[in-house]
Amino acid sequence: ARYAEGTGDHWSVMRGLHVIAVCYNARNAFKLAVKAHGDALRYLRDRCHTFSRAEQDRLNIFRGRILREMGVCMAKQTARSPAAANRVRESMGLADAIGDPHDIDDAHVRSCEAGTFLANWAQADRFLGLLHANWSRMDPNLRAITIKLSARLAIAQGKKTAAWDAIERGQKWCQSHGIHHQAYHFARLAWNLESGLGNARELILT
């Protein structure tokens, strides 16, 4: 990000700041992840005037992604975060306004994920249903993520039988399609569920 800033490559700066946030999230350092997402949003706000009109949709897609990932990190910090719900809701509005199918599917994923961590089962179920409705247009990785969301929601609600069914289905799907990153998440979910350590929110952190 520093090198890109020195060359005036604003897209690379924003991607660098985003990756920092993703790294903190992967380490379960959610407070730092939220701060890093905020840094990316501030940089985008301060530099948005430098982008052409033709780039505005792409810029808004990026902004929406940062908002919803930030919201999910907030939801992982605490189940009582109105700011988390607001960030995800704002990003969903941006995705609907732009109308890019892949961006909409990603917004559905994060909306379901946020609903799960916020214990808003109605929201989680609604967006999980929308993902299943768009199943035919999804690539294998996004389908694996959808199965993973089903497993997480079942664990969060204490539905162990449904959770195991989803985990086993997801593991078979990942194996048959070579989706190693999502296979890791299913393995972690299985290990967490077998260990029984922690509460439901901790069990779905992978």
Side-chain angles (χ1 to χ4, degrees), residues 164-200:
W164 278 117
D165 286 345
I167 289 170
E168 290 171 6
R169 188 167 71 254
Q171 288 176 323
K172 290 177 181 177
W173 178 267
C174 290
Q175 184 176 10
S176 64
H177 291 82
I179 307 173
H180 305 298
H181 178 64
Q182 298 305 327
Y184 163 80
H185 287 291
F186 284 111
R188 281 289 304 273
L189 282 175
W191 190 90
N192 288 351
L193 203 54
E194 285 175 345
S195 70
L197 300 175
N199 57 36

PDB file of all heavy atoms in Angstrom, residues 164-200:
ATOM      1  N   TRP A 164     -24.217 -31.243  10.773  1.00  0.00           N
ATOM      2  CA  TRP A 164     -23.369 -32.330  10.278  1.00  0.00           C
ATOM      3  C   TRP A 164     -23.712 -32.692   8.840  1.00  0.00           C
ATOM      4  O   TRP A 164     -22.822 -32.976   8.028  1.00  0.00           O
ATOM      5  CB  TRP A 164     -23.484 -33.561  11.178  1.00  0.00           C
ATOM      6  CG  TRP A 164     -22.616 -33.480  12.395  1.00  0.00           C
ATOM      7  CD1 TRP A 164     -23.004 -33.453  13.702  1.00  0.00           C
ATOM      8  CD2 TRP A 164     -21.187 -33.416  12.415  1.00  0.00           C
ATOM      9  NE1 TRP A 164     -21.925 -33.364  14.538  1.00  0.00           N
ATOM     10  CE2 TRP A 164     -20.791 -33.344  13.779  1.00  0.00           C
ATOM     11  CE3 TRP A 164     -20.204 -33.393  11.431  1.00  0.00           C
ATOM     12  CZ2 TRP A 164     -19.460 -33.267  14.166  1.00  0.00           C
ATOM     13  CZ3 TRP A 164     -18.873 -33.325  11.820  1.00  0.00           C
ATOM     14  CH2 TRP A 164     -18.508 -33.261  13.165  1.00  0.00           C
ATOM     15  N   ASP A 165     -25.013 -32.682   8.525  1.00  0.00           N
ATOM     16  CA  ASP A 165     -25.433 -32.975   7.144  1.00  0.00           C
ATOM     17  C   ASP A 165     -24.815 -31.964   6.171  1.00  0.00           C
ATOM     18  O   ASP A 165     -24.306 -32.331   5.106  1.00  0.00           O
ATOM     19  CB  ASP A 165     -26.955 -32.931   7.035  1.00  0.00           C
ATOM     20  CG  ASP A 165     -27.628 -34.146   7.677  1.00  0.00           C
ATOM     21  OD1 ASP A 165     -26.910 -35.130   7.950  1.00  0.00           O
ATOM     22  OD2 ASP A 165     -28.853 -34.089   7.895  1.00  0.00           O
ATOM     23  N   ALA A 166     -24.851 -30.684   6.555  1.00  0.00           N
ATOM     24  CA  ALA A 166     -24.299 -29.635   5.693  1.00  0.00           C
ATOM     25  C   ALA A 166     -22.784 -29.746   5.593  1.00  0.00           C
ATOM     26  O   ALA A 166     -22.202 -29.564   4.512  1.00  0.00           O
ATOM     27  CB  ALA A 166     -24.699 -28.258   6.226  1.00  0.00           C
ATOM     28  N   ILE A 167     -22.128 -30.042   6.717  1.00  0.00           N
ATOM     29  CA  ILE A 167     -20.665 -30.176   6.708  1.00  0.00           C
ATOM     30  C   ILE A 167     -20.239 -31.325   5.797  1.00  0.00           C
ATOM     31  O   ILE A 167     -19.331 -31.182   4.963  1.00  0.00           O
ATOM     32  CB  ILE A 167     -20.132 -30.391   8.138  1.00  0.00           C
ATOM     33  CG1 ILE A 167     -20.269 -29.095   8.952  1.00  0.00           C
ATOM     34  CG2 ILE A 167     -18.671 -30.848   8.109  1.00  0.00           C
ATOM     35  CD1 ILE A 167     -19.991 -29.261  10.434  1.00  0.00           C
ATOM     36  N   GLU A 168     -20.904 -32.467   5.929  1.00  0.00           N
ATOM     37  CA  GLU A 168     -20.548 -33.619   5.095  1.00  0.00           C
ATOM     38  C   GLU A 168     -20.824 -33.339   3.621  1.00  0.00           C
ATOM     39  O   GLU A 168     -20.024 -33.711   2.751  1.00  0.00           O
ATOM     40  CB  GLU A 168     -21.317 -34.851   5.576  1.00  0.00           C
ATOM     41  CG  GLU A 168     -20.841 -35.349   6.931  1.00  0.00           C
ATOM     42  CD  GLU A 168     -21.740 -36.431   7.506  1.00  0.00           C
ATOM     43  OE1 GLU A 168     -22.675 -36.885   6.793  1.00  0.00           O
ATOM     44  OE2 GLU A 168     -21.517 -36.824   8.671  1.00  0.00           O
ATOM     45  N   ARG A 169     -21.937 -32.681   3.346  1.00  0.00           N
ATOM     46  CA  ARG A 169     -22.255 -32.315   1.957  1.00  0.00           C
ATOM     47  C   ARG A 169     -21.203 -31.352   1.404  1.00  0.00           C
ATOM     48  O   ARG A 169     -20.753 -31.495   0.261  1.00  0.00           O
ATOM     49  CB  ARG A 169     -23.647 -31.683   1.895  1.00  0.00           C
ATOM     50  CG  ARG A 169     -24.159 -31.447   0.488  1.00  0.00           C
ATOM     51  CD  ARG A 169     -25.639 -31.122   0.483  1.00  0.00           C
ATOM     52  NE  ARG A 169     -25.948 -29.820   1.025  1.00  0.00           N
ATOM     53  CZ  ARG A 169     -26.501 -29.608   2.217  1.00  0.00           C
ATOM     54  NH1 ARG A 169     -26.804 -30.616   3.026  1.00  0.00           N
ATOM     55  NH2 ARG A 169     -26.752 -28.376   2.635  1.00  0.00           N
ATOM     56  N   GLY A 170     -20.814 -30.389   2.224  1.00  0.00           N
ATOM     57  CA  GLY A 170     -19.809 -29.416   1.800  1.00  0.00           C
ATOM     58  C   GLY A 170     -18.448 -30.045   1.574  1.00  0.00           C
ATOM     59  O   GLY A 170     -17.750 -29.704   0.613  1.00  0.00           O
ATOM     60  N   GLN A 171     -18.062 -30.969   2.442  1.00  0.00           N
ATOM     61  CA  GLN A 171     -16.776 -31.643   2.283  1.00  0.00           C
ATOM     62  C   GLN A 171     -16.728 -32.449   0.989  1.00  0.00           C
ATOM     63  O   GLN A 171     -15.728 -32.431   0.269  1.00  0.00           O
ATOM     64  CB  GLN A 171     -16.494 -32.531   3.498  1.00  0.00           C
ATOM     65  CG  GLN A 171     -16.152 -31.743   4.750  1.00  0.00           C
ATOM     66  CD  GLN A 171     -15.972 -32.615   5.973  1.00  0.00           C
ATOM     67  OE1 GLN A 171     -16.682 -33.613   6.140  1.00  0.00           O
ATOM     68  NE2 GLN A 171     -15.038 -32.253   6.832  1.00  0.00           N
ATOM     69  N   LYS A 172     -17.807 -33.152   0.680  1.00  0.00           N
ATOM     70  CA  LYS A 172     -17.865 -33.924  -0.559  1.00  0.00           C
ATOM     71  C   LYS A 172     -17.827 -33.002  -1.777  1.00  0.00           C
ATOM     72  O   LYS A 172     -17.161 -33.294  -2.772  1.00  0.00           O
ATOM     73  CB  LYS A 172     -19.136 -34.778  -0.586  1.00  0.00           C
ATOM     74  CG  LYS A 172     -19.130 -35.931   0.404  1.00  0.00           C
ATOM     75  CD  LYS A 172     -20.446 -36.696   0.373  1.00  0.00           C
ATOM     76  CE  LYS A 172     -20.440 -37.836   1.385  1.00  0.00           C
ATOM     77  NZ  LYS A 172     -21.753 -38.549   1.416  1.00  0.00           N
ATOM     78  N   TRP A 173     -18.537 -31.879  -1.677  1.00  0.00           N
ATOM     79  CA  TRP A 173     -18.568 -30.919  -2.780  1.00  0.00           C
ATOM     80  C   TRP A 173     -17.164 -30.346  -3.029  1.00  0.00           C
ATOM     81  O   TRP A 173     -16.712 -30.279  -4.171  1.00  0.00           O
ATOM     82  CB  TRP A 173     -19.554 -29.795  -2.466  1.00  0.00           C
ATOM     83  CG  TRP A 173     -19.623 -28.738  -3.524  1.00  0.00           C
ATOM     84  CD1 TRP A 173     -18.918 -27.569  -3.576  1.00  0.00           C
ATOM     85  CD2 TRP A 173     -20.428 -28.765  -4.712  1.00  0.00           C
ATOM     86  NE1 TRP A 173     -19.241 -26.859  -4.698  1.00  0.00           N
ATOM     87  CE2 TRP A 173     -20.164 -27.566  -5.415  1.00  0.00           C
ATOM     88  CE3 TRP A 173     -21.355 -29.655  -5.226  1.00  0.00           C
ATOM     89  CZ2 TRP A 173     -20.787 -27.264  -6.614  1.00  0.00           C
ATOM     90  CZ3 TRP A 173     -21.982 -29.353  -6.429  1.00  0.00           C
ATOM     91  CH2 TRP A 173     -21.698 -28.168  -7.111  1.00  0.00           C
ATOM     92  N   CYS A 174     -16.492 -29.959  -1.962  1.00  0.00           N
ATOM     93  CA  CYS A 174     -15.152 -29.381  -2.093  1.00  0.00           C
ATOM     94  C   CYS A 174     -14.163 -30.395  -2.652  1.00  0.00           C
ATOM     95  O   CYS A 174     -13.309 -30.060  -3.484  1.00  0.00           O
ATOM     96  CB  CYS A 174     -14.662 -28.870  -0.743  1.00  0.00           C
ATOM     97  SG  CYS A 174     -15.531 -27.399  -0.158  1.00  0.00           S
ATOM     98  N   GLN A 175     -14.289 -31.642  -2.211  1.00  0.00           N
ATOM     99  CA  GLN A 175     -13.386 -32.683  -2.702  1.00  0.00           C
ATOM    100  C   GLN A 175     -13.588 -32.932  -4.193  1.00  0.00           C
ATOM    101  O   GLN A 175     -12.622 -33.057  -4.941  1.00  0.00           O
ATOM    102  CB  GLN A 175     -13.608 -33.976  -1.920  1.00  0.00           C
ATOM    103  CG  GLN A 175     -12.639 -35.096  -2.292  1.00  0.00           C
ATOM    104  CD  GLN A 175     -12.834 -36.331  -1.438  1.00  0.00           C
ATOM    105  OE1 GLN A 175     -13.789 -36.448  -0.680  1.00  0.00           O
ATOM    106  NE2 GLN A 175     -11.914 -37.274  -1.547  1.00  0.00           N
ATOM    107  N   SER A 176     -14.834 -32.982  -4.612  1.00  0.00           N
ATOM    108  CA  SER A 176     -15.118 -33.280  -6.016  1.00  0.00           C
ATOM    109  C   SER A 176     -14.791 -32.119  -6.942  1.00  0.00           C
ATOM    110  O   SER A 176     -14.564 -32.317  -8.135  1.00  0.00           O
ATOM    111  CB  SER A 176     -16.592 -33.683  -6.198  1.00  0.00           C
ATOM    112  OG  SER A 176     -17.448 -32.599  -5.859  1.00  0.00           O
ATOM    113  N   HIS A 177     -14.727 -30.882  -6.407  1.00  0.00           N
ATOM    114  CA  HIS A 177     -14.455 -29.702  -7.235  1.00  0.00           C
ATOM    115  C   HIS A 177     -13.090 -29.069  -6.941  1.00  0.00           C
ATOM    116  O   HIS A 177     -12.771 -28.026  -7.507  1.00  0.00           O
ATOM    117  CB  HIS A 177     -15.561 -28.657  -7.055  1.00  0.00           C
ATOM    118  CG  HIS A 177     -16.876 -29.067  -7.638  1.00  0.00           C
ATOM    119  ND1 HIS A 177     -17.760 -29.896  -6.974  1.00  0.00           N
ATOM    120  CD2 HIS A 177     -17.454 -28.785  -8.840  1.00  0.00           C
ATOM    121  CE1 HIS A 177     -18.831 -30.084  -7.726  1.00  0.00           C
ATOM    122  NE2 HIS A 177     -18.663 -29.444  -8.853  1.00  0.00           N
ATOM    123  N   GLY A 178     -12.305 -29.674  -6.057  1.00  0.00           N
ATOM    124  CA  GLY A 178     -10.976 -29.152  -5.772  1.00  0.00           C
ATOM    125  C   GLY A 178     -10.967 -27.781  -5.122  1.00  0.00           C
ATOM    126  O   GLY A 178     -10.094 -26.951  -5.408  1.00  0.00           O
ATOM    127  N   ILE A 179     -11.917 -27.531  -4.233  1.00  0.00           N
ATOM    128  CA  ILE A 179     -12.030 -26.217  -3.588  1.00  0.00           C
ATOM    129  C   ILE A 179     -11.369 -26.307  -2.211  1.00  0.00           C
ATOM    130  O   ILE A 179     -12.017 -26.543  -1.191  1.00  0.00           O
ATOM    131  CB  ILE A 179     -13.505 -25.772  -3.493  1.00  0.00           C
ATOM    132  CG1 ILE A 179     -14.159 -25.839  -4.859  1.00  0.00           C
ATOM    133  CG2 ILE A 179     -13.604 -24.351  -2.937  1.00  0.00           C
ATOM    134  CD1 ILE A 179     -15.646 -25.586  -4.844  1.00  0.00           C
ATOM    135  N   HIS A 180     -10.073 -26.137  -2.176  1.00  0.00           N
ATOM    136  CA  HIS A 180      -9.303 -26.414  -0.966  1.00  0.00           C
ATOM    137  C   HIS A 180      -9.532 -25.383   0.139  1.00  0.00           C
ATOM    138  O   HIS A 180      -9.539 -25.739   1.321  1.00  0.00           O
ATOM    139  CB  HIS A 180      -7.814 -26.491  -1.312  1.00  0.00           C
ATOM    140  CG  HIS A 180      -7.524 -27.478  -2.399  1.00  0.00           C
ATOM    141  ND1 HIS A 180      -7.790 -28.825  -2.276  1.00  0.00           N
ATOM    142  CD2 HIS A 180      -7.006 -27.322  -3.653  1.00  0.00           C
ATOM    143  CE1 HIS A 180      -7.440 -29.463  -3.373  1.00  0.00           C
ATOM    144  NE2 HIS A 180      -6.963 -28.568  -4.232  1.00  0.00           N
ATOM    145  N   HIS A 181      -9.709 -24.119  -0.231  1.00  0.00           N
ATOM    146  CA  HIS A 181      -9.893 -23.096   0.796  1.00  0.00           C
ATOM    147  C   HIS A 181     -11.171 -23.346   1.591  1.00  0.00           C
ATOM    148  O   HIS A 181     -11.166 -23.297   2.829  1.00  0.00           O
ATOM    149  CB  HIS A 181      -9.940 -21.707   0.154  1.00  0.00           C
ATOM    150  CG  HIS A 181     -10.167 -20.605   1.138  1.00  0.00           C
ATOM    151  ND1 HIS A 181      -9.276 -20.297   2.133  1.00  0.00           N
ATOM    152  CD2 HIS A 181     -11.204 -19.739   1.301  1.00  0.00           C
ATOM    153  CE1 HIS A 181      -9.737 -19.292   2.862  1.00  0.00           C
ATOM    154  NE2 HIS A 181     -10.902 -18.938   2.380  1.00  0.00           N
ATOM    155  N   GLN A 182     -12.271 -23.627   0.907  1.00  0.00           N
ATOM    156  CA  GLN A 182     -13.524 -23.892   1.612  1.00  0.00           C
ATOM    157  C   GLN A 182     -13.479 -25.234   2.343  1.00  0.00           C
ATOM    158  O   GLN A 182     -14.109 -25.398   3.386  1.00  0.00           O
ATOM    159  CB  GLN A 182     -14.704 -23.836   0.636  1.00  0.00           C
ATOM    160  CG  GLN A 182     -14.907 -22.475  -0.018  1.00  0.00           C
ATOM    161  CD  GLN A 182     -15.045 -21.352   0.993  1.00  0.00           C
ATOM    162  OE1 GLN A 182     -15.574 -21.529   2.089  1.00  0.00           O
ATOM    163  NE2 GLN A 182     -14.556 -20.177   0.617  1.00  0.00           N
ATOM    164  N   ALA A 183     -12.710 -26.203   1.803  1.00  0.00           N
ATOM    165  CA  ALA A 183     -12.551 -27.494   2.485  1.00  0.00           C
ATOM    166  C   ALA A 183     -11.947 -27.281   3.873  1.00  0.00           C
ATOM    167  O   ALA A 183     -12.312 -27.966   4.841  1.00  0.00           O
ATOM    168  CB  ALA A 183     -11.679 -28.418   1.655  1.00  0.00           C
ATOM    169  N   TYR A 184     -11.013 -26.310   3.966  1.00  0.00           N
ATOM    170  CA  TYR A 184     -10.411 -25.973   5.257  1.00  0.00           C
ATOM    171  C   TYR A 184     -11.483 -25.500   6.242  1.00  0.00           C
ATOM    172  O   TYR A 184     -11.511 -25.918   7.411  1.00  0.00           O
ATOM    173  CB  TYR A 184      -9.351 -24.889   5.063  1.00  0.00           C
ATOM    174  CG  TYR A 184      -8.965 -24.176   6.338  1.00  0.00           C
ATOM    175  CD1 TYR A 184      -8.061 -24.748   7.229  1.00  0.00           C
ATOM    176  CD2 TYR A 184      -9.524 -22.941   6.666  1.00  0.00           C
ATOM    177  CE1 TYR A 184      -7.709 -24.112   8.405  1.00  0.00           C
ATOM    178  CE2 TYR A 184      -9.178 -22.298   7.845  1.00  0.00           C
ATOM    179  CZ  TYR A 184      -8.273 -22.885   8.706  1.00  0.00           C
ATOM    180  OH  TYR A 184      -7.943 -22.244   9.884  1.00  0.00           O
ATOM    181  N   HIS A 185     -12.389 -24.641   5.776  1.00  0.00           N
ATOM    182  CA  HIS A 185     -13.442 -24.133   6.663  1.00  0.00           C
ATOM    183  C   HIS A 185     -14.354 -25.259   7.144  1.00  0.00           C
ATOM    184  O   HIS A 185     -14.747 -25.289   8.316  1.00  0.00           O
ATOM    185  CB  HIS A 185     -14.257 -23.056   5.951  1.00  0.00           C
ATOM    186  CG  HIS A 185     -13.541 -21.753   5.799  1.00  0.00           C
ATOM    187  ND1 HIS A 185     -13.258 -20.936   6.868  1.00  0.00           N
ATOM    188  CD2 HIS A 185     -13.030 -21.138   4.703  1.00  0.00           C
ATOM    189  CE1 HIS A 185     -12.608 -19.852   6.444  1.00  0.00           C
ATOM    190  NE2 HIS A 185     -12.461 -19.961   5.137  1.00  0.00           N
ATOM    191  N   PHE A 186     -14.698 -26.180   6.255  1.00  0.00           N
ATOM    192  CA  PHE A 186     -15.542 -27.307   6.665  1.00  0.00           C
ATOM    193  C   PHE A 186     -14.816 -28.189   7.680  1.00  0.00           C
ATOM    194  O   PHE A 186     -15.424 -28.683   8.641  1.00  0.00           O
ATOM    195  CB  PHE A 186     -15.978 -28.123   5.447  1.00  0.00           C
ATOM    196  CG  PHE A 186     -17.069 -27.481   4.651  1.00  0.00           C
ATOM    197  CD1 PHE A 186     -16.828 -26.988   3.385  1.00  0.00           C
ATOM    198  CD2 PHE A 186     -18.354 -27.353   5.174  1.00  0.00           C
ATOM    199  CE1 PHE A 186     -17.831 -26.374   2.641  1.00  0.00           C
ATOM    200  CE2 PHE A 186     -19.370 -26.743   4.445  1.00  0.00           C
ATOM    201  CZ  PHE A 186     -19.114 -26.255   3.177  1.00  0.00           C
ATOM    202  N   ALA A 187     -13.502 -28.395   7.482  1.00  0.00           N
ATOM    203  CA  ALA A 187     -12.721 -29.193   8.420  1.00  0.00           C
ATOM    204  C   ALA A 187     -12.685 -28.523   9.798  1.00  0.00           C
ATOM    205  O   ALA A 187     -12.811 -29.184  10.833  1.00  0.00           O
ATOM    206  CB  ALA A 187     -11.308 -29.404   7.896  1.00  0.00           C
ATOM    207  N   ARG A 188     -12.529 -27.200   9.809  1.00  0.00           N
ATOM    208  CA  ARG A 188     -12.534 -26.465  11.071  1.00  0.00           C
ATOM    209  C   ARG A 188     -13.889 -26.533  11.763  1.00  0.00           C
ATOM    210  O   ARG A 188     -13.968 -26.709  12.986  1.00  0.00           O
ATOM    211  CB  ARG A 188     -12.155 -24.995  10.824  1.00  0.00           C
ATOM    212  CG  ARG A 188     -10.673 -24.735  10.656  1.00  0.00           C
ATOM    213  CD  ARG A 188      -9.899 -24.880  11.968  1.00  0.00           C
ATOM    214  NE  ARG A 188     -10.443 -24.015  13.013  1.00  0.00           N
ATOM    215  CZ  ARG A 188     -10.078 -22.747  13.192  1.00  0.00           C
ATOM    216  NH1 ARG A 188      -9.193 -22.198  12.377  1.00  0.00           N
ATOM    217  NH2 ARG A 188     -10.600 -22.043  14.165  1.00  0.00           N
ATOM    218  N   LEU A 189     -14.959 -26.394  10.988  1.00  0.00           N
ATOM    219  CA  LEU A 189     -16.305 -26.503  11.569  1.00  0.00           C
ATOM    220  C   LEU A 189     -16.505 -27.877  12.197  1.00  0.00           C
ATOM    221  O   LEU A 189     -17.044 -28.000  13.304  1.00  0.00           O
ATOM    222  CB  LEU A 189     -17.360 -26.252  10.501  1.00  0.00           C
ATOM    223  CG  LEU A 189     -17.624 -24.800  10.088  1.00  0.00           C
ATOM    224  CD1 LEU A 189     -18.604 -24.751   8.925  1.00  0.00           C
ATOM    225  CD2 LEU A 189     -18.176 -23.985  11.254  1.00  0.00           C
ATOM    226  N   ALA A 190     -16.066 -28.918  11.491  1.00  0.00           N
ATOM    227  CA  ALA A 190     -16.213 -30.282  12.008  1.00  0.00           C
ATOM    228  C   ALA A 190     -15.412 -30.454  13.294  1.00  0.00           C
ATOM    229  O   ALA A 190     -15.901 -31.037  14.282  1.00  0.00           O
ATOM    230  CB  ALA A 190     -15.760 -31.291  10.954  1.00  0.00           C
ATOM    231  N   TRP A 191     -14.166 -29.935  13.281  1.00  0.00           N
ATOM    232  CA  TRP A 191     -13.326 -30.057  14.472  1.00  0.00           C
ATOM    233  C   TRP A 191     -13.943 -29.296  15.651  1.00  0.00           C
ATOM    234  O   TRP A 191     -13.983 -29.798  16.780  1.00  0.00           O
ATOM    235  CB  TRP A 191     -11.929 -29.519  14.178  1.00  0.00           C
ATOM    236  CG  TRP A 191     -10.952 -29.826  15.276  1.00  0.00           C
ATOM    237  CD1 TRP A 191     -10.159 -30.920  15.392  1.00  0.00           C
ATOM    238  CD2 TRP A 191     -10.688 -29.013  16.434  1.00  0.00           C
ATOM    239  NE1 TRP A 191      -9.405 -30.854  16.539  1.00  0.00           N
ATOM    240  CE2 TRP A 191      -9.706 -29.699  17.204  1.00  0.00           C
ATOM    241  CE3 TRP A 191     -11.174 -27.792  16.893  1.00  0.00           C
ATOM    242  CZ2 TRP A 191      -9.223 -29.183  18.395  1.00  0.00           C
ATOM    243  CZ3 TRP A 191     -10.681 -27.281  18.085  1.00  0.00           C
ATOM    244  CH2 TRP A 191      -9.714 -27.965  18.828  1.00  0.00           C
ATOM    245  N   ASN A 192     -14.412 -28.088  15.389  1.00  0.00           N
ATOM    246  CA  ASN A 192     -15.028 -27.289  16.451  1.00  0.00           C
ATOM    247  C   ASN A 192     -16.254 -27.979  17.028  1.00  0.00           C
ATOM    248  O   ASN A 192     -16.471 -27.999  18.246  1.00  0.00           O
ATOM    249  CB  ASN A 192     -15.432 -25.906  15.912  1.00  0.00           C
ATOM    250  CG  ASN A 192     -14.240 -25.010  15.648  1.00  0.00           C
ATOM    251  OD1 ASN A 192     -13.114 -25.336  16.009  1.00  0.00           O
ATOM    252  ND2 ASN A 192     -14.476 -23.886  14.998  1.00  0.00           N
ATOM    253  N   LEU A 193     -17.060 -28.564  16.153  1.00  0.00           N
ATOM    254  CA  LEU A 193     -18.287 -29.218  16.595  1.00  0.00           C
ATOM    255  C   LEU A 193     -17.970 -30.477  17.396  1.00  0.00           C
ATOM    256  O   LEU A 193     -18.625 -30.757  18.417  1.00  0.00           O
ATOM    257  CB  LEU A 193     -19.140 -29.569  15.372  1.00  0.00           C
ATOM    258  CG  LEU A 193     -20.647 -29.760  15.592  1.00  0.00           C
ATOM    259  CD1 LEU A 193     -21.262 -28.551  16.280  1.00  0.00           C
ATOM    260  CD2 LEU A 193     -21.346 -30.016  14.257  1.00  0.00           C
ATOM    261  N   GLU A 194     -16.958 -31.225  16.973  1.00  0.00           N
ATOM    262  CA  GLU A 194     -16.562 -32.432  17.698  1.00  0.00           C
ATOM    263  C   GLU A 194     -15.966 -32.099  19.062  1.00  0.00           C
ATOM    264  O   GLU A 194     -16.207 -32.799  20.044  1.00  0.00           O
ATOM    265  CB  GLU A 194     -15.539 -33.219  16.874  1.00  0.00           C
ATOM    266  CG  GLU A 194     -16.148 -33.958  15.693  1.00  0.00           C
ATOM    267  CD  GLU A 194     -15.081 -34.621  14.827  1.00  0.00           C
ATOM    268  OE1 GLU A 194     -13.890 -34.270  14.977  1.00  0.00           O
ATOM    269  OE2 GLU A 194     -15.452 -35.480  14.008  1.00  0.00           O
ATOM    270  N   SER A 195     -15.199 -31.024  19.117  1.00  0.00           N
ATOM    271  CA  SER A 195     -14.547 -30.648  20.382  1.00  0.00           C
ATOM    272  C   SER A 195     -15.559 -30.124  21.392  1.00  0.00           C
ATOM    273  O   SER A 195     -15.397 -30.310  22.601  1.00  0.00           O
ATOM    274  CB  SER A 195     -13.474 -29.592  20.144  1.00  0.00           C
ATOM    275  OG  SER A 195     -14.061 -28.342  19.799  1.00  0.00           O
ATOM    276  N   GLY A 196     -16.595 -29.449  20.883  1.00  0.00           N
ATOM    277  CA  GLY A 196     -17.619 -28.904  21.761  1.00  0.00           C
ATOM    278  C   GLY A 196     -17.122 -27.787  22.649  1.00  0.00           C
ATOM    279  O   GLY A 196     -17.752 -27.451  23.663  1.00  0.00           O
ATOM    280  N   LEU A 197     -15.980 -27.204  22.291  1.00  0.00           N
ATOM    281  CA  LEU A 197     -15.411 -26.147  23.121  1.00  0.00           C
ATOM    282  C   LEU A 197     -16.015 -24.793  22.767  1.00  0.00           C
ATOM    283  O   LEU A 197     -16.100 -24.440  21.595  1.00  0.00           O
ATOM    284  CB  LEU A 197     -13.892 -26.104  22.928  1.00  0.00           C
ATOM    285  CG  LEU A 197     -13.121 -27.376  23.300  1.00  0.00           C
ATOM    286  CD1 LEU A 197     -11.655 -27.223  22.942  1.00  0.00           C
ATOM    287  CD2 LEU A 197     -13.286 -27.697  24.781  1.00  0.00           C
ATOM    288  N   GLY A 198     -16.385 -24.033  23.770  1.00  0.00           N
ATOM    289  CA  GLY A 198     -16.904 -22.684  23.526  1.00  0.00           C
ATOM    290  C   GLY A 198     -18.397 -22.671  23.258  1.00  0.00           C
ATOM    291  O   GLY A 198     -19.064 -23.703  23.194  1.00  0.00           O
ATOM    292  N   ASN A 199     -18.909 -21.448  23.062  1.00  0.00           N
ATOM    293  CA  ASN A 199     -20.327 -21.287  22.760  1.00  0.00           C
ATOM    294  C   ASN A 199     -20.553 -21.380  21.252  1.00  0.00           C
ATOM    295  O   ASN A 199     -19.619 -21.555  20.481  1.00  0.00           O
ATOM    296  CB  ASN A 199     -20.854 -19.966  23.328  1.00  0.00           C
ATOM    297  CG  ASN A 199     -20.075 -18.764  22.810  1.00  0.00           C
ATOM    298  OD1 ASN A 199     -19.643 -18.736  21.656  1.00  0.00           O
ATOM    299  ND2 ASN A 199     -19.891 -17.753  23.661  1.00  0.00           N
ATOM    300  N   ALA A 200     -21.810 -21.245  20.854  1.00  0.00           N
ATOM    301  CA  ALA A 200     -22.153 -21.417  19.441  1.00  0.00           C
ATOM    302  C   ALA A 200     -21.414 -20.419  18.553  1.00  0.00           C
ATOM    303  O   ALA A 200     -20.971 -20.768  17.453  1.00  0.00           O
ATOM    304  CB  ALA A 200     -23.661 -21.285  19.257  1.00  0.00           C
TER     305      ALA A 200
END
